[in-house]
Amino acid sequence: MNKKIHTESVDQLFDAIMSLKDRDECYRFFEDLCTVKELLSLSQRLEVAAMLRENNTYLEIGEKTGASTATISRVNRSLSYGEDGYQLIFDRLGID
């Protein structure tokens, strides 16, 4: 894991996220925390990751999600060499 992000502030953020009880609380918190663009970018990355796992091409992913090739490449790098965070979420959500 990236030691640069292991800070007390990040721990506090993650604790806050883990304390949320349902989707409505998530919407309320993240609408206060993030700009609309930031939140849409985060959700776009998750969608890109799911499409990469389904072996969609960069072109197909870009057309469907509007993601740039740089974003798609970054997500692909995370899927290949990251901390398996996407895989953890896909497993928990039952996404094949």
Side-chain angles (χ1 to χ4, degrees):
M1 283 193 214
N2 187 340
K3 293 181 182 182
K4 291 179 183 178
I5 66 167
H6 286 259
T7 67
E8 191 174 321
S9 294
V10 173
D11 285 347
Q12 185 176 23
L13 172 63
F14 291 164
D15 289 343
I17 292 168
M18 290 188 301
S19 77
L20 299 170
K21 293 182 174 77
D22 56 32
R23 188 175 289 154
D24 181 60
E25 287 186 2
C26 287
Y27 271 101
R28 291 171 54 200
F29 178 67
F30 280 96
E31 284 183 35
D32 285 350
L33 180 67
C34 300
T35 65
V36 170
K37 184 175 179 172
E38 290 168 336
L39 193 52
L40 292 176
S41 292
L42 291 171
S43 64
Q44 180 188 64
R45 289 179 191 168
L46 188 59
E47 184 177 12
V48 166
M51 292 184 73
L52 283 167
R53 290 180 69 237
E54 295 170 350
N55 297 314
N56 286 276
T57 67
Y58 278 34
L59 181 61
E60 292 168 330
I61 295 168
E63 287 176 351
K64 181 165 191 270
T65 68
S68 68
T69 55
T71 296
I72 299 166
S73 179
R74 182 191 181 287
V75 171
N76 195 35
R77 204 169 35 256
S78 292
L79 286 170
S80 298
Y81 305 108
E83 298 294 327
D84 293 326
Y86 283 114
Q87 187 60 50
L88 176 70
I89 293 304
F90 293 139
D91 289 346
R92 292 209 177 141
L93 294 177
I95 298 171
D96 292 325

